[in-house]
Each structure stands twice: as structure tokens, then as C-alpha cells.
Amino acid sequence: MERPREWLSRLAKYGQEHLLQHWDALTAAERESLLADIESIDLKEVALLYEALGRRGAPELPSDLGPPPAIRLHRESAAERKRAVEAGRRALAEGKVGMILVAGGQGTRLGFPHPKGLFPIGPLSRRTLFQVLVDRLLAVRRRHGVSIPLWILTSPATDAATRDYFRKHNYLGLPEEDVFFFCQGTMPAVDRATGKILLAERHRVALSPNGHGGMLAALHESGGLERAGERGIEYFFYGQVDNPLLPVCDERMIGYHLEYSSELTSLAVAKRGPEERVGHFVERAGSVQIIEYSDFPEELASQIDGDGRLVYWAGSIAVHVMNRAFLQDAADEAESLPYHAAWKKTPFVDERGERVEPTEPNSVKFERFIFDLLPRAHRPLVVEVARDEAFAPVKNADGAASDTPSSARAAMVNLHRRWLQQAGAHVADVPVEIHPLWADGPEEVAARIERGMVVERPTYFHTHCEE
Ligand code: UTP
């Protein structure tokens, strides 16, 4: 079969006819798969994005920036905290809260050959990221005697394996009717110098998930927002699958969100120093936005206030509470989330059909970010949380300088050791791990153990420890 003419002319209009360059060598099934990949691409959109973003440097920053409206730990009174926690508990007990977990990323930096959620992170239990997070959700559900439905964002890269995993593991203890998977879209990687779409194989386009911002359109299009409405969900707790310390459905955060009548609340940690590479929350003309560290000039990042603290202290940990109505409004204009361009290394096959492993970023990838919803919020709020209680990202393989499985496991062990110590235990320098259904915080640990208890050996506290 000749190269299909109709496709060739469609591709030629955007300078992408090379996508069919290996056509003659493909089997019928491979040709079909290639055409399906091409069909999924909006060629015009890719051309416009490359033109607008592909070669651009850092965006210019407006000059009227300030720190965001925030609840800070060192300024929070016990009474305020109590009020917020009570408000959060009420919303949870009334069944108004659902959870969104984004798990569509390819996890390329971790180099794990399965969806990241399947990574065995438990320091002693080796429970997977999905298990650790669902265990916490089960604990919250039990504490409030309520069902909290879970929406899991997948992508073509993770969808089948994720669904399969949940099915085989009995939905990790959740009722099946409380778990919803929804799959996000993809975007092609293009050559950085020419804008030509890259082929991952002779019959496959180099497609990757379109960023966690793809969550919005996917939730809407899958009927998830509608279903949430039918189930009486007013608020979503949103988190990422690669943070085993994610404070699942945190009462305090939900409570402040309600007390402040915010539509979109974000958790932040105080930056370790001016140079820490996290997204910065800033305020501008009444709206909050996140500026990536790479776009944030050093002179702003190192500004100090009258108390000697960083003015731009708030680092994003990608945890939010979002009103369903706010998401619905935004989803009605899903195209309103802009694309960002990033230069990345993307392996590809060249015109000879040979695979090339680039050593430098050779491609542009286009992604939407969920935090671009922030400027739409009329009353955005940032809530500070202690880093060691809420944030231990798993981004890189062991051996890297930070955000590795080892650093996340150490953070889990340290937190659980502190809970035990607060409850009066003496814990030797050994790893400990606590299953959330055994205890999901220092108070629950205190109810479980005798003061003065000695922990000398590596110990995994879980429900079977009760006997
Ligand atoms: P990251 O962009 O930090 O990491 O995603 P990643 O995609 O998992 O891994 P790399 O960059 O390829 O190494 C942060 C969170 O957002 C989700 C990820 O699953 C992770 O929970 N995500 C990211 C999506 O759900 N979809 C995307 O398109 C991108």
C-alpha cells in the first residue's frame, strides 16, 4: 500500500509528513497504530504552540508581586487551629469531601517500569505508594464513619496497569463503587530545533501525558464532576501519587478552606532557603499564582522581611482543596488552562529508522499544570504545613541527591518514630513504620501503647500487632 495520500497532504500542511517516512517497512497492524497516534494529535494546535512557546526563554515577571494570603504555622493560635479542625471534621463527616489522586505521569526520572503508584515505598512493609495512600484514606473514612470516593487520574501510559492492579488487589480495601479511574490526554514531543513531531518507534509517535492540568478536562469529560455532584461531594482533596506523606483529606486544611470561603486552597511548606527548587506561591493584584523556581529571579527569592524570614517563603507541594463548583466552572472552559513548554530528552527514531538516545534536551514537550487554576480563584488561600509531616516526594532513583525512595522512606520512619516518642515510647535508632489503620497520628498512637514502651528492633506496627 502506498503512503496514504490524504494523510500525507494533511501532515504536509504542518510540515509533519516525515511521520509516514517508514510506512513502506510497516506491517498492516503497525500502520494502523501509527495512523491512530496521528489521528489523536491536533496538528494545528501543536504548530501554534511550538511557534508561541517552543523557542521562548523564561517569561517576563510582572513587577507588582507580593507574598500570598496564608495561614502560617508560627502565627496560628491554638483556638484558630481548633476551629479549623472542627470545620474540616464536619465537612468530612457530612460526606461532602471526595479525593482526587493524580497518577498519570510517566515517572521517567524514577526509572521504574510500572506506574509509579505501584512502587514499593513502605520502609518495612514495602507497601506500594497506592497502598500507603489508600490506607490513609481508609483511616480517614473509618474515623469519620463516612465514604470518601476516590478519583484516580491515569494516562495511556498508566491506565491499564493501574486498573489491573486495583482489580487484582480488591481495590486495596475500598468498596469498588468508591473508586473511579479517569484517563487524561496526550501531546506529542517535537524536535526542539525544527518543531517536527518525534517518532518513538517507526510506527509510534512520541506521545506523553499532557500534564497534571489534563486532570480538569479528563474529570469533566469522564463524567466525574457530574457523578461527584450526584454523590453530594462539594470539595475535592487533591494530591499526587508520589508523596507517601500526603496528608490525605487533612482536617485542618479543609477547615481553613471553609472558614476562609476559599474556592481553591493550597498547602505550602516554608522553603529551606532562597535557592530551594520548588514552585513559589506569589500574589499579584488579588490573585495567587505559582512561579516555577527556574523563572523566579534570585533577588526576589532571597528577599527578607522585618522578622528575618523569606518574603517568598511558600513552596508548593502540589496539594489542594478545590470546590467542585469552581472546577465545574473552569472545566466548562477547559481550554483555558494554558500549555507550558519544557525542554526534555526524548529518545526517538531517525530517518534511517535508528533509535537515538539524546544526551541533551532535544525536544519540546507541552504540558498543562493544575496550578494554573489558581488565578481564577477569587479567594485563594495558602496553608502552611510542616514539611516533615506532609512532603516526601519520590521523583528520582536512589543515588540522586534528593527526592529518592530512600529519602522518602527515611521521612516516613522519622515521622512515625516521632509519633511513638510523643506517646512516651523509647525508640532505638531502628526503622519503624506504622500502618494508618493501626494509628494515623500521635493521638492514636498514644491510645495504642503504654508510656515507657521500648522499641529496640525494626518494627512495623499494623493491625495484626493488636493480638
Ligand atoms: P511529575 O511531573 O513530578 O513526575 O508529576 P512524573 O510525571 O511522575 O515523573 P517524571 O517527570 O516523568 O520523572 C507529579 C505528579 O503529577 C502526576 C504524576 O503522576 C505525579 O503524581 N502527573 C504528571 C499526571 O498525573 N499527569 C501528567 O501528565 C504529569
Side-chain angles (χ1 to χ4, degrees), residues 25 69 83 93 113 200 204 220 233 255-256 293 306 360 365-366 379 404 445 461:
R83 248 200 336 270
R204 299 293 333 230
H220 183 48
I233 301 302
Y256 276 125
Y293 66 85
E360 295 297 322
K365 284 190 176 179
F366 302 105
R379 285 181 63 77
T404 59
V445 173
F461 296 86

Side-chain angles (χ1 to χ4, degrees), residues 102-109 116 153 184 209 211-212 240-241 395:
V102 294
Q106 288 173 303
T108 37
R109 285 169 289 171
K116 220 192 246 184
L153 176 69
Q184 67 180 114
H212 42 63
Q240 301 188 332
V241 73
K395 300 287 183 195

Side-chain angles (χ1 to χ4, degrees), residues 119-158:
F119 188 86
I121 195 67
L124 295 170
S125 67
R126 287 295 188 260
R127 288 178 79 71
T128 63
L129 279 161
F130 275 133
Q131 283 175 318
V132 165
L133 298 176
V134 169
D135 289 344
R136 293 203 76 175
L137 182 61
L138 288 168
V140 179
R141 290 166 59 107
R142 188 177 69 180
R143 192 156 59 242
H144 299 285
V146 73
S147 79
I148 300 174
L150 171 64
W151 278 267
I152 300 177
L153 176 69
T154 62
S155 66
T158 65

